[in-house]
Each structure stands twice: as C-alpha cells, then as structure tokens.
Amino acid sequence: MQLFLQDLVPIPLRDKVNASRSDIWKRERTFNQGNCIFIQAPSGTGKTTLIHMLYGIRKDFSGMLHWDTYNIASISKDDLSQLRAMHVSVVFQDMRLFPELTTWENLEVKRLLTNSVAAEDVERWLQRLGLGDKKDSLAGTLSYGEQQRVAIIRALVQPFEWLLMDEPFSHLDKANTDLAIALITEVVQMNRAGMILADLDDNDHFFYTQKIAL
Amino acid sequence: MAALVALCIGTTLLLLSVMIWWNFQELLNGKSDDSDSLGSSFLTISKNVTDAKMGKPQLTIFSSNEIEEMRYAPEVQDVGVLTSNRFNVYATLNSALNFSTDMFLESVPDRFIDKKPVDWYWQPSNREVPIILSTEFLNLYNYGFAVSKGLPQLSESSIQALGFDLKVGEGDLQQTYRAHIVGFSDRIASVLVPDSFMAYGNRVFGHNAFSEPTRLIVKVKDPSSKAFVQYLQTNDYTTNAEQLRWSKLRSIVEVVTGATGLLAVLLMALGALVFILFIELTIARAQQSITLLLQIGYAPGYLSRFMIKKFFPLLLATAVISMGIAVLVQMGIANWIKVMHLSLPAYPGWPVYVALAVSTLILLSLVAVSIVRAIRNTD
C-alpha cells in the first residue's frame, strides 16, 4: 500500500505551516510499502496532528492524503474501519486503552476483530515485554509504561501494511524500549509492512530508510 | 429500567384498549346462541291496528311476500314467525285453588328464544308441554294482580315447580295436557310453547281459517338505523321501541373505546420516546468506548448490530410481558362477564395480536434507526 501526500496543510496550523519550512506540509511525497520513515517533529509542529490525519481521525486539512485508492478526505466510515482493521495500525501517543477492561481484554477486543494472530502469540508477546503478570489487571490501573507496552502489542495483533507510531517509547526505559523495538521489528517484517515513527528527538531505534523533519 | 416500565405500561394499555374495543365488538356482533348479544336486537313487529282496520283481522296478518320482503329490509339479520294457536286452550291452575282461564299460546323458531331451557322439546306422544312465560307477565301478576287481589307473590322457581292442566280443543276433539313453566323470556312478550306442539295442535284441533301470522320476530343489527326506522314507518309496522335503548349504549361505548385507544397510542408513543431517549443516553455514556472501538477498526455497522442485539431482547421481553398481562386480563374479563350472562372468549382475539405485532415492529424499527444514527454520528 502506497501513501501519497500533496500540498497537505492542517487548517488549524495554517499560519504556522506557512511561516516555516517542512518536509511534509505543502509538499508532494510518496511513501512505498516497506519504507521505514522517521519523522522528527519538535513540539507544536503538528506531529500528533499528522498521525491523526494519516489514521483518518482528523479531516480538517487541505491538500491530498491517499492510502492507495483510499482518499482520507472523503473516505466512508465503512472504508475507514476496513483501512484500520486490515491495512494501517497505530500506536497512539496517549495509548487509548479501555480503562475498565483488563490488559488481556484490551488485546482480545482488537485480536478478535480480525483473528489473524493466535492468542498464544499474544500471550508470548506479553511475556517478552514483561507484562506476563499484568494480564488480568485493569488497564486503568497500569502505569504509563505498562499501558504503552500494551498499546504497542495491541497495534501488532492485526494484519497491517503500515504501522504508525506517535512517541511510542516516551514512557519506557532503555531496557524496555529495546524489548519493544525487537518485537516491533519482528512483527513488522513478518507483515512486510512499512512504518512511520514520529518523535521529538532524533533516534536510531530502527533502520530508517528516510528521516524527515516536520 | 424506568424507560422499560413506561414502555411496558404503554404497550399494555394499547393492547388493553384494542382488547376492550374487540370485546365490545364481540358482544355487539356476537352470534353465540346461548347468550344475549348487545349488538343485535330482537324486535317483535306487528301491523298497526288502526280504526280503519278494526274488525278486519285479515288486514293485520303478514303475507308470505311481506315476510320475504322483511328478510331483505335494512339491518335485518333474521326473521321468524310468531305462530298463534288456532284451537281453544283452557288452563286450570290447580283444582284446589280453582283458578282457571281461557288463554292463548304462541310459538317461535327455537333460535329466537333468549334462554332456551334444556327440556325445550315436545313430540306428540308427550303428555307434558313445556312453556316459556314472558318475564313481563310474571311481573304483571306479582306487582299488579297478586297485590291487588291479596294473592301470594310467586318467584320464578316456585312457578316452575307448579304444574297446571291445559285443556286443548273442544267437544270430541279434546285433550288434556300437563303443562310446566320451564323458563322465562325477556325477549318475547307471550306464552310460548315448542313449535312442534303448536304445529301439532293447529293441525289436529285447529278450527280457524287464518294461517298467516300477525306478529313477526326480527333480529336487527342496529334498530336505531334510520333506514330501518324508515322501513317500519313506510309499511305502517309497529314495534317495541324500548329495545332501541341498546343502540344509544352502543354509540357511547364506541366513543369510550375510541378515547381509550387514543390515550393508549399517546402513552405508547411516550413510552417509546422515553425508551429511545434511554438508548441515546446509553450510547452517549458509552461514547468514549464507541469512539475507541471505531478507532481500533470496528465498523459502525457491526457496533450498531451489537447494540441492537443488546436492546431488542429487552423490547421483546416488554412485548411478551404486555401480552401476558393482556391474556390474564382477558381471562379475568371472560370470567367476570359470565356473571352477567354474557360470554366472551377466554383469550384475546386476533386484533390484539395484530396490534402487538404492529406496535412492536414500529418500536423495533424506531429503536434500530436511532441506534444506527447515534453510532453513525459518533466519530
């Protein structure tokens, strides 16, 4: 699946975008499946806005944003859920788990939607990220670091061609970050997927094919 | 919960009002033989005896043409002939009391008798003749004759226990029968014997040349109908106008059921509105979860179906409870109305089920639409 952007401008950030230089805003860009993109974005440049626009949560933009034939500006609700369930997965900056469900239930809600990953695999991934004993804890009671790891696993329990990540390791220490990176790398390769990671500071968590400034 | 109770009350009221309407229809148009139906009135019709007709009894008889014509008169459902005796009848009430009198008898087809006693039959070999007496005659005796003459007043059962002799015919052709009063009629002001006895008596003992009847009994759907009254006037027929009071009652009943129905529809609409608001409130409360489910890839259609599956059983349970109440009420009414010598089916009739089906379908579609819309509007 190919991502195509042209003259993209988020309407609330129009003035700011016009005043500064960006590799994304107001440009024409094409990202091919399998690309590993890092977007460096200092605070306030619209990093989360961009991720939300790519994921179809925000439509208050001008310009073109296409995932293959899916045009985000005019996509129907059913197509959007299809895109999210089968093609593009996301790790939100604010995690967005169901606080009243347990860790395991949060993952099952996502897993059962497509049933493309075995429950045993998910259980193993939980162990790998050190969450084996948090399986039955309510997500609302988990620490941010734990929630972030659950959110990462949740993003992996579906088929995807692109993985979007918005500051995915912001609450993790070095050791846990490395564990997460290893898991993500493995699953992304398994899916032959591309990835877009947006963060504040430069890093070399993955072998990026492109580094872009927002 | 409150929404469900409101809905349940609304649905139950709707069903009850349909049931009341249907029950009245059953009573008004009922065709059961063993009970009175309010709908059809039985009128005895005769020709007016005017000054000009006095002394000419052949002018007050009904010809077979006129009887046939009556069958097709407006509102008329059935016509029967009141046959009177053409032989002498002399009754002796008890030799000890020494009360005896000349009398007359009449007979009508059995289907016109309001309360037909079990032993209402006669065949030529029988020495006993059953008689149905008009309740009015008993009242005349009890409150008029007995009081003024200082005779004992008689209850219906004591009269039924009394037997008396009927001397029929005259001269060589005379026969004495034992007569028993077996029942009372509110409908026909006469002394009735079975048709078979009358036919036999007229054939064997009869002397009078007139064979045509002077009185007819007519089953009329709505005696207050203008067309029917017009018909009577045109032909110079006369009837007991007292019967017409039912028709007034009938129009009152129709107004009352109409008003109840309107109220029930309003209440049901109110119940449905409360329930839909309850659903919207539930969805609004679950807004965050629904938004998140949509964000992780659930389709709006799937979520709508999930919600519908969650709410529909509640609605169906409400419908079942309402139907249960309606059935119980109907059984109660059927029981209660027996005391009044009226009869109704023990279970609600088809209009009640139709009302339930239609109202439930409308409700389910309203709820489905509001769920789908609420989820579509969630981002």
Side-chain angles (χ1 to χ4, degrees):
Chain A
M1 183 172 261
Q2 193 182 58
L3 172 62
F4 174 74
L5 312 176
Q6 191 182 40
D7 291 332
L8 204 59
V9 177
I11 290 161
L13 298 177
R14 197 166 33 200
D15 295 340
K16 212 170 191 178
V17 165
N18 283 334
S20 59
R21 222 197 132 270
S22 161
D23 290 336
I24 298 258
W25 305 134
K26 291 168 69 183
R27 302 271 165 167
E28 183 178 316
R29 302 220 69 131
T30 304
F31 301 107
N32 292 312
Q33 190 173 335
N35 282 175
C36 186
I37 318 291
F38 175 69
I39 298 174
Q40 190 184 351
S43 281
T45 48
K47 167 178 56 68
T48 299
T49 305
L50 174 67
I51 295 290
H52 284 187
M53 280 161 54
L54 294 176
Y55 197 59
I57 293 177
R58 295 186 68 153
K59 291 181 180 174
D60 51 344
F61 59 82
S62 61
M64 279 166 70
L65 198 173
H66 286 209
W67 291 99
D68 275 358
T69 53
Y70 293 112
N71 177 2
I72 291 295
S74 61
I75 194 168
S76 74
K77 294 205 174 207
D78 290 321
D79 281 348
L80 188 59
S81 53
Q82 179 73 9
L83 181 74
R84 288 168 176 175
M86 305 301 294
H87 305 292
V88 179
S89 192
V90 71
V91 179
F92 290 110
Q93 184 189 19
D94 52 357
M95 280 82 84
R96 302 201 179 181
L97 302 176
F98 295 98
E100 69 280 10
L101 300 184
T102 64
T103 300
W104 183 249
E105 287 165 344
N106 264 286
L107 296 173
E108 281 295 278
V109 165
K110 179 73 170 188
R111 190 182 74 82
L112 293 173
L113 181 59
T114 52
N115 219 353
S116 57
V117 176
E120 302 80 64
D121 286 340
V122 179
E123 200 147 4
R124 238 175 326 107
W125 294 351
L126 271 175
Q127 300 284 356
R128 275 178 67 174
L129 296 198
L131 292 169
D133 56 338
K134 297 290 179 187
K135 194 179 156 190
D136 297 319
S137 307
L138 290 180
T141 65
L142 298 178
S143 73
Y144 283 132
E146 288 161 343
Q147 286 188 38
Q148 200 155 39
R149 282 174 276 163
V150 176
I152 289 169
I153 296 175
R154 185 179 66 181
L156 302 178
V157 296
Q158 70 164 88
F160 60 90
E161 290 160 45
W162 282 93
L163 178 62
L164 310 178
M165 290 180 280
D166 188 359
E167 296 188 44
F169 312 121
S170 57
H171 298 290
L172 300 185
D173 56 31
K174 178 80 173 64
N176 277 311
T177 303
D178 289 343
L179 288 172
I181 288 167
L183 178 65
I184 292 168
T185 307
E186 190 182 313
V187 180
V188 165
Q189 278 174 0
M190 209 163 67
N191 281 282
R192 297 178 212 284
M195 96 171 57
I196 295 175
L197 192 150
D199 216 328
L200 299 168
D201 299 311
D202 192 13
N203 63 64
D204 287 306
H205 294 322
F206 300 93
F207 296 110
Y208 298 118
T209 51
Q210 254 180 309
K211 283 193 178 183
I212 297 170
L214 191 64
Chain B
M1 199 58 217
L4 279 177
V5 172
L7 192 67
C8 199
I9 292 173
T11 313
T12 308
L13 276 172
L14 180 79
L15 294 186
L16 289 186
S17 70
V18 171
M19 214 162 74
I20 290 170
W21 169 80
W22 170 76
N23 277 337
F24 273 113
Q25 291 297 315
E26 283 290 300
L27 284 178
L28 293 171
N29 302 326
K31 288 193 178 68
S32 43
D33 291 335
D34 55 343
S35 69
D36 247 343
S37 59
L38 299 182
S40 308
S41 296
F42 287 86
L43 305 177
T44 43
I45 291 182
S46 46
K47 293 188 171 180
N48 254 334
V49 179
T50 57
D51 291 348
K53 286 181 188 167
M54 276 170 67
K56 298 174 186 163
Q58 69 274 20
L59 289 181
T60 59
I61 61 169
F62 286 95
S63 69
S64 52
N65 276 348
E66 284 169 325
I67 295 171
E68 203 49 39
E69 195 190 303
M70 176 91 60
R71 287 187 200 282
Y72 299 101
E75 302 291 326
V76 170
Q77 291 172 320
D78 200 359
V79 178
V81 168
L82 272 157
T83 315
S84 44
N85 58 313
R86 301 192 301 275
F87 48 86
N88 285 337
V89 182
Y90 192 75
T92 310
L93 180 57
N94 185 320
S95 34
L97 267 170
N98 202 17
F99 178 85
S100 53
T101 177
D102 272 317
M103 66 183 289
F104 73 98
L105 300 169
E106 281 183 303
S107 76
V108 290
D110 285 355
R111 62 180 189 279
F112 291 98
I113 292 172
D114 41 354
K115 283 170 263 177
K116 197 169 80 178
V118 276
D119 43 1
W120 187 247
Y121 67 90
W122 187 88
Q123 54 193 47
S125 59
N126 285 22
R127 295 289 93 190
E128 301 239 343
V129 180
I131 284 181
I132 291 177
L133 192 66
S134 163
T135 322
E136 281 178 46
F137 288 0
L138 179 62
N139 290 341
L140 275 177
Y141 168 80
N142 272 342
Y143 306 115
F145 197 68
V147 173
S148 65
K149 287 277 183 183
L151 290 168
Q153 289 183 314
L154 300 170
S155 69
E156 288 193 2
S157 55
S158 67
I159 287 210
Q160 284 181 0
L162 263 161
F164 55 94
D165 291 331
L166 276 186
K167 238 177 242 168
V168 172
E170 54 193 334
D172 298 338
L173 266 178
Q174 200 176 48
Q175 182 80 50
T176 305
Y177 293 95
R178 195 76 191 138
H180 267 292
I181 290 174
V182 292
F184 294 87
S185 169
D186 295 324
R187 190 179 285 164
I188 305 160
S190 187
V191 182
L192 296 175
V193 291
D195 242 2
S196 50
F197 179 76
M198 184 61 78
Y200 176 82
N202 279 342
R203 202 172 62 240
V204 176
F205 313 106
H207 53 75
N208 204 316
F210 295 125
S211 59
E212 283 93 348
T214 55
R215 293 211 291 172
L216 300 179
I217 178 160
V218 180
K219 188 181 182 189
V220 185
K221 190 162 190 285
D222 181 6
S224 67
S225 141
K226 274 187 181 156
F228 179 66
V229 173
Q230 183 75 36
Y231 170 78
L232 291 183
Q233 280 170 354
T234 315
N235 290 288
D236 202 14
Y237 295 155
T238 168
T239 183
N240 42 346
E242 179 64 11
Q243 289 282 0
L244 307 186
R245 71 179 189 274
W246 281 126
S247 50
K248 227 177 202 172
L249 174 77
R250 207 180 144 158
S251 27
I252 293 171
V253 162
E254 270 164 13
V255 169
V256 170
T257 38
T260 319
L262 194 69
L263 191 72
V265 168
L266 284 176
L267 268 166
M268 168 125 192
L270 205 67
L273 185 73
V274 173
F275 191 75
I276 287 168
L277 285 176
F278 160 71
I279 286 172
E280 286 182 355
L281 181 71
T282 310
I283 290 176
R285 272 196 203 137
Q287 188 89 32
Q288 272 195 321
S289 301
I290 293 171
T291 305
L292 191 47
L293 283 169
L294 291 171
Q295 282 178 3
I296 65 174
Y298 278 88
Y302 176 90
L303 293 181
S304 303
R305 280 196 298 279
F306 178 81
M307 294 290 257
I308 284 170
K309 273 187 208 154
K310 204 172 145 158
F311 283 117
F312 271 26
L314 292 177
L315 292 176
L316 292 176
T318 310
V320 168
I321 290 171
S322 301
M323 195 63 226
I325 295 174
V327 168
L328 287 180
V329 170
Q330 179 70 29
M331 289 164 102
I333 290 177
N335 238 336
W336 170 66
I337 209 155
K338 265 189 209 151
V339 181
M340 297 187 274
H341 299 292
L342 293 166
S343 85
L344 278 175
Y347 294 98
W350 63 268
V352 181
Y353 296 103
V354 170
L356 181 73
V358 169
S359 63
T360 307
L361 274 181
I362 292 176
L363 189 66
L364 291 183
S365 39
L366 279 177
V367 166
V369 166
S370 76
I371 286 176
V372 168
R373 195 179 296 155
I375 289 184
R376 285 260 157 208
N377 289 340
T378 306
D379 262 326

